[in-house]
Amino acid sequence: MNKIQKIKSKFATIPAVHKILNMPEVKQLISVKGHLMVTKAIKLVQSEFRDVIKSSNKNFTDQKIIDNFIPQLKNRIADITKEKFKPVLNLTGTVLHTNLGRASLPSEAIKSISLIASNPSNLEYNLVTGKRGDRDQHIEEKLCSLIGAEASTVVNNNAAALVLILNSLAKRKEVLVSRGELIEIGGSFRLPDILTSAGCKLREVGTTNRTYINDYEEAFGPRTGLVLKAYTSNYKINGFTAEVKEKDIIEFTTRSNIPFIIDLGSGSLIDLRKLNLPKERSPAQVLSKGVDLITFSGDKLLGGPQCGIIAGRKDLISIIKKNPLSRAFRCDKMTIAAFTALLKIYEEPERAINEIPTLRLLKRTQKQIHEIAERVYPEVKSHLSTIAIVEITKCKSKVGSGSLPVEILLSAGLKILPKIKMRKSGIFLNDLSLELRKLPVPIISRIQDGAILLDLRCLEDEKLFIKQIKKLSVQGFKK
Ligand SMILES: *Cc1c(COP(=O)(O)O)cnc(C)c1O
């Protein structure tokens, strides 16, 4: 027998699916978890046994395999059915972390979701006429009065908002975009790709660092559909640059009778200086200059549910709403419930700063965060004392999600360094951050300057954090 034949003959000791399915204990499992789930798990365990046989010279007896099969099968089923989508503690220092779900919702929004989700509602029903209504009816008036727009509509996210606008107003036409604004927002959002998928042709104008109004005028022709400008908030072009003034673009698009659209990315409904952040133009200010439409995300600086807001000219919004794609991109009732509750909070700006978690966290000062660090420090230090040195440190957090440039938020946190100058401190840091992620409520940290950094800007539940830290196993690190 050659080696392959030998392995194959050992594989034959792994019981077949039908044989396992007939075992009384497995029949019991099927009655609870269902046939498909159990069969899938059996196949996984079989392949695990094959891997063990391949990589070891051990001879398994039939009985040994049978004895191990059922416990392993139960483990696999438990893995498959385990709750995998769960809350985490975001100590990365990035307040609006796209991978961690961006904005957390205010409690009023949660209440509203729960009420609407558990009952029939007038989602698309006009209670006066008793006829079909429009789901935008719950949002449009409030939103328009907050940002001074003629009309507005809300869709699944900002990317959908852009595709919808482009497809409604410039399908098979050219869209003029400055070369300095052909942005990627991380992950899957690249402006040129969005344009193409909306059925538009990208017409780049100017250069990466300099664009003039003449560039737009020269690119303009019978095939021009609209001008699009995107706020390039996650990077900055410095040095020898020239950006066309919006006022000049508005003058040009009005004269040429084409719409001017601005993708704000993040739009705030309060004056950011109240959060000690640099002033940004608000959606209201941008619209008041005469821009035809703006778009922004609901779950960035706004601090609400994932959605994309389109606001501006009424005639354009009504064309957009007639596009069949708007049916495909519409928000669900839970989003609308959360968004209406959010807008209600914004009617009182002072309330907004305290009740909307995103704003509350952004407003925290370094001193306040330092105090949190001082409160949690003793427990963290004592739990990790055998393996690490823990220090209170100053650091910088980010707004995140392409909202506002560079690191500008002064923050504080805990720095965790390996105790002994281990040669493999990189491995220590990776292992420890993995252990932090494996906790029942995972702690997401960042590694910076040879240490694990827990930026405490976003820590609100200190008790929960301490409870997790105490569950961290330090055994594997003692060497
Ligand atoms: C974030 C962002 C987008 C994408 O918004 P989503 O709501 O994530 O779809 C588009 N444009 C800009 C400028 C952004 O900052």
Side-chain angles (χ1 to χ4, degrees):
M1 255 201 303
N2 67 26
K3 203 176 162 202
I4 293 176
Q5 282 168 329
K6 242 187 220 162
I7 289 178
K8 277 208 173 142
S9 79
K10 282 189 200 166
F11 279 0
T13 60
I14 300 172
V17 176
H18 68 90
K19 203 169 155 193
I20 300 167
L21 284 173
N22 276 324
M23 294 164 83
E25 222 174 328
V26 178
K27 282 191 170 153
Q28 170 64 25
L29 275 175
I30 293 171
S31 72
V32 183
K33 302 288 181 185
H35 190 273
L36 290 175
M37 166 81 71
V38 176
T39 312
K40 185 185 159 91
I42 291 174
K43 288 180 178 161
L44 283 174
V45 178
Q46 283 180 324
S47 99
E48 286 163 14
F49 272 101
R50 270 183 231 116
D51 289 344
V52 175
I53 291 173
K54 254 191 275 180
S55 63
S56 76
N57 283 321
K58 266 190 244 151
N59 258 324
F60 289 105
T61 58
D62 294 7
Q63 195 49 48
K64 176 130 198 220
I65 288 182
I66 297 274
D67 288 349
N68 284 312
F69 207 97
I70 303 297
Q72 211 153 315
L73 180 64
K74 285 183 181 163
N75 285 341
R76 235 16 97 243
I77 292 174
D79 284 349
I80 296 172
T81 53
K82 194 166 71 185
E83 205 75 72
K84 285 174 184 146
F85 189 23
K86 54 180 162 184
V88 304
L89 285 164
N90 173 12
L91 304 189
T92 62
T94 301
V95 179
L96 293 167
H97 198 302
T98 299
N99 304 144
L100 303 182
R102 290 193 188 156
S104 301
L105 294 175
S107 60
E108 289 298 318
I110 309 289
K111 275 189 221 155
S112 175
I113 291 176
S114 149
L115 195 63
I116 291 298
S118 46
N119 292 286
S121 63
N122 60 336
L123 176 65
E124 280 187 4
Y125 187 80
N126 184 321
L127 292 172
V128 177
T129 62
K131 298 219 169 77
R132 187 175 198 280
D134 178 346
R135 58 181 70 202
D136 277 335
Q137 73 193 345
H138 308 288
I139 294 173
E140 189 168 7
E141 203 179 305
K142 261 190 210 147
L143 184 60
C144 286
S145 65
L146 283 168
I147 61 178
E150 246 176 51
S152 68
T153 184
V154 181
V155 292
N156 188 47
N157 55 20
N158 193 20
L162 278 169
V163 171
L164 187 58
I165 291 175
L166 292 163
N167 185 269
S168 309
L169 307 179
K171 194 174 172 187
R172 285 191 283 274
K173 290 188 180 162
E174 286 182 355
V175 172
L176 310 188
V177 187
S178 162
R179 286 203 167 87
E181 292 162 9
L182 288 170
I183 51 168
E184 170 179 317
I185 325 269
S188 49
F189 184 96
R190 300 182 112 192
L191 202 55
D193 300 340
I194 294 277
L195 270 159
T196 323
S197 65
C200 305
K201 189 167 176 348
L202 169 64
R203 177 74 187 257
E204 301 176 27
V205 305
T207 60
T208 307
N209 57 334
R210 305 194 135 217
T211 302
Y212 303 93
I213 191 66
N214 278 352
D215 296 320
Y216 284 98
E217 281 170 352
E218 275 162 28
F220 178 76
R223 302 195 51 75
T224 309
L226 56 86
V227 173
L228 175 65
K229 186 178 170 69
Y231 276 13
T232 55
S233 42
N234 57 355
Y235 72 97
K236 271 231 168 327
I237 299 179
N238 289 314
F240 187 62
T241 61
E243 194 184 350
V244 184
K245 288 205 179 78
E246 266 155 37
K247 160 169 134 322
D248 294 336
I249 301 182
I250 291 166
E251 195 275 318
F252 156 68
T253 51
T254 312
R255 177 159 38 87
S256 316
N257 199 22
I258 48 170
F260 177 29
I261 317 294
I262 295 188
D263 169 16
L264 293 174
S266 203
S268 174
L269 295 186
I270 59 153
D271 184 346
L272 291 178
R273 285 172 302 183
K274 286 190 181 156
L275 308 174
N276 310 311
L277 290 174
K279 185 175 160 50
E280 269 221 335
R281 277 175 320 153
S282 65
Q285 284 166 321
V286 177
L287 279 174
S288 71
K289 293 274 154 46
V291 174
D292 297 300
L293 289 177
I294 55 166
T295 73
F296 55 100
S297 296
D299 55 354
K300 292 188 180 171
L301 280 176
L302 207 60
Q306 178 193 302
C307 61
I309 295 123
I310 305 175
R313 260 170 60 188
K314 195 173 182 132
D315 58 331
L316 299 180
I317 300 269
S318 75
I319 296 172
I320 288 167
K321 287 180 73 149
K322 287 191 191 108
N323 186 332
L325 278 183
S326 69
R327 170 68 174 74
F329 292 163
R330 72 183 188 188
C331 294
D332 72 321
K333 60 185 178 184
M334 266 103 79
T335 304
I336 292 170
F339 201 47
T340 45
L342 185 84
L343 290 177
K344 190 149 182 58
I345 300 177
Y346 271 113
E347 286 167 14
E348 297 166 59
E350 286 313 315
R351 226 185 113 197
I353 292 175
N354 293 318
E355 288 186 22
I356 297 172
T358 303
L359 304 184
R360 187 167 66 221
L361 297 176
L362 287 172
K363 186 171 178 255
R364 282 181 161 179
T365 61
Q366 189 168 43
K367 184 165 169 284
Q368 288 170 325
I369 305 168
H370 205 275
E371 285 162 13
I372 299 172
E374 281 168 349
R375 282 198 294 272
V376 297
Y377 168 73
E379 298 272 15
V380 180
K381 178 189 151 91
S382 97
H383 188 77
L384 297 181
S385 63
T386 53
I387 59 162
I389 301 162
V390 181
E391 293 167 1
I392 296 178
T393 182
K394 288 180 175 169
C395 58
K396 281 178 184 160
S397 356
K398 290 186 210 174
V399 180
S401 288
S403 323
L404 303 178
V406 284
E407 296 183 334
I408 39 160
L409 305 168
L410 297 180
S411 184
L414 300 179
K415 192 171 169 180
I416 305 174
L417 300 133
K419 185 137 203 176
I420 326 147
K421 265 266 169 276
M422 283 196 253
R423 259 183 307 138
K424 294 180 175 152
S425 80
I427 296 178
F428 172 88
L429 297 177
N430 283 330
D431 288 354
L432 186 57
S433 54
L434 173 63
E435 286 306 316
L436 288 166
R437 293 196 300 273
K438 286 206 284 201
L439 289 165
V441 180
I443 296 175
I444 316 295
S445 62
R446 73 179 199 254
I447 294 178
Q448 186 177 305
D449 305 329
I452 287 179
L453 182 64
L454 304 176
D455 185 324
L456 299 176
R457 171 171 295 277
C458 298
L459 180 64
E460 293 208 285
D461 193 339
E462 294 168 27
K463 277 201 189 117
L464 177 74
F465 168 70
I466 297 292
K467 201 170 149 194
Q468 300 308 307
I469 288 289
K470 285 186 170 163
K471 287 186 178 160
L472 189 83
S473 156
V474 294
Q475 297 310 321
F477 294 95
K478 289 180 193 158
K479 285 207 187 85

